[in-house]
Amino acid sequence: MNWEPPACWYEPYWKAKDFKKFMEAQWSIHESVGGPAEELKDDKARYKQGEPYEDFNADKNGEGMWWVAVKNPKMKDDPAAGACTREPFWMNNGENPDVPQAIDTETLAALAHQQTKVPDTEIASAPEGKSTVNLPTWVWLEEATFKTVSVTASLPGTGLWATTTAQPVSLHIDPGTDDAETYPPSGDCAINDDGSIGEPYAKGKAEKTPPCGVTYLKSSGDESYALNATLTWEISWEGAGGTAGDLPNGTFATTTEVPVQEIQSINR
C-alpha cells in the first residue's frame, strides 16, 4: 500500500503532570519578564480553570495523554504543514480521537497495511518440464505454501492499536495464450476447505480434469507459454474500541514458462 503521512498531524506527547509542569514554567517565564497577564488568560482558563480542563487533568495522570500538532519533517515548508492549528487537547487511553488529522486506529491500520508482507506466489504444476497438447496441466498450492498474515501497529502509551489481516482468497491463472482452456473456465481457482488451492497431480490423473489447471490446445513450438498465477489476498483490519474496516485487496503474481509439445506418434 502506498500510504504517505500528511503534512501535519496530531499525536500524543505529554503526560498530564508533565504538561502541567511545562505550561506553568512557560507562564512563570512570561510573567518574570514583564509579559502582560492578559495574554495568559485564555490558556489558564482552558487548561487550569475548567474551561474545559481542570488543573491540566493532573488527577488523570497515566490515564491519558495531551495531544499536540506535529509537522511532517519532510514537508515542513509545505503550506499544508501549517493546517494543524488546534491547541493541545486531552485523550483518555484507548479512546479513538474524533479529530481530523489525528492519529487514530484507521491511521494505524494504514501503517500496518504498509508493512504487510505476504509470501511469494509459487505454484506447483504437473507434468513438470514440458506439457502436452490436449492433456491438462495441473496447478495447485499446498496449504503450507501460504498462511494468513497479520501485522499490528500501535501508538505507545495510548492504548490505541490496529491489526491488519491478509487472507488468501483465490488464485487466478492465465495460460499465456488464447489457444488454451482453463479449469475452472473463469481461471479463478477457489480455496479448498483445508486452505489449499487446486489438487496435487498424482499418477493416474493424466487424462482427468483438474479442479485448477489448464489444457493447451496448440504447441508452443521452440518457445514456451507464460503461465501467470495471481493470488488475491483479502485484507481487513480491527482496532481498539471495536473499530474495524476493509482495506484494498492485494494481488501478487508469478510467471512460469511452460513449453508445450505435440504428442509424437508413428503410423505404420
Side-chain angles (χ1 to χ4, degrees), residues 30-104:
H30 176 85
E31 292 168 347
S32 68
V33 297
E38 186 68 21
E39 293 181 1
L40 303 179
K41 180 179 178 181
D42 289 344
D43 279 352
K44 288 187 175 183
R46 174 175 172 80
Y47 297 117
K48 193 173 182 67
Q49 298 166 357
E51 299 179 20
Y53 304 110
E54 187 73 42
D55 194 28
F56 301 91
N57 278 359
D59 62 334
K60 293 184 177 181
N61 197 60
E63 299 176 14
M65 297 280 284
W66 285 98
W67 290 50
V68 301
V70 175
K71 290 184 178 181
N72 185 337
K74 295 182 179 180
M75 301 175 67
K76 60 183 179 180
D77 296 325
D78 190 312
C84 298
T85 58
R86 183 184 291 261
E87 296 292 333
F89 58 93
W90 176 265
M91 295 298 303
N92 294 321
N93 289 341
E95 187 176 355
N96 207 34
D98 185 19
V99 175
Q101 291 185 253
I103 297 175
D104 56 10

Side-chain angles (χ1 to χ4, degrees), residues 123 171-176 216 225-230 252-256:
I123 63 169
L171 179 75
H172 179 78
I173 54 174
D174 182 339
Y216 288 101
Y225 295 124
L227 173 62
N228 185 270
T230 301
F252 302 88
T254 188
T255 300
T256 303

Side-chain angles (χ1 to χ4, degrees), residues 81-181:
C84 298
T85 58
R86 183 184 291 261
E87 296 292 333
F89 58 93
W90 176 265
M91 295 298 303
N92 294 321
N93 289 341
E95 187 176 355
N96 207 34
D98 185 19
V99 175
Q101 291 185 253
I103 297 175
D104 56 10
T105 53
E106 189 170 357
T107 307
L108 294 173
L111 288 169
H113 190 191
Q114 190 180 47
Q115 300 301 316
T116 300
K117 306 295 182 186
V118 298
D120 293 335
T121 306
E122 297 182 1
I123 63 169
S125 62
E128 296 182 2
K130 294 182 178 180
S131 290
T132 303
V133 171
N134 293 326
L135 289 179
T137 296
W138 293 59
V139 174
W140 69 93
L141 277 170
E142 299 283 0
E143 178 191 3
T145 304
F146 60 91
K147 294 183 178 180
T148 298
V149 176
S150 294
V151 175
T152 297
S154 61
L155 200 55
T158 67
L160 292 180
W161 59 272
T163 297
T164 61
T165 300
Q167 174 77 36
V169 291
S170 67
L171 179 75
H172 179 78
I173 54 174
D174 182 339
T177 175
D178 291 335
D179 295 312
E181 295 178 350

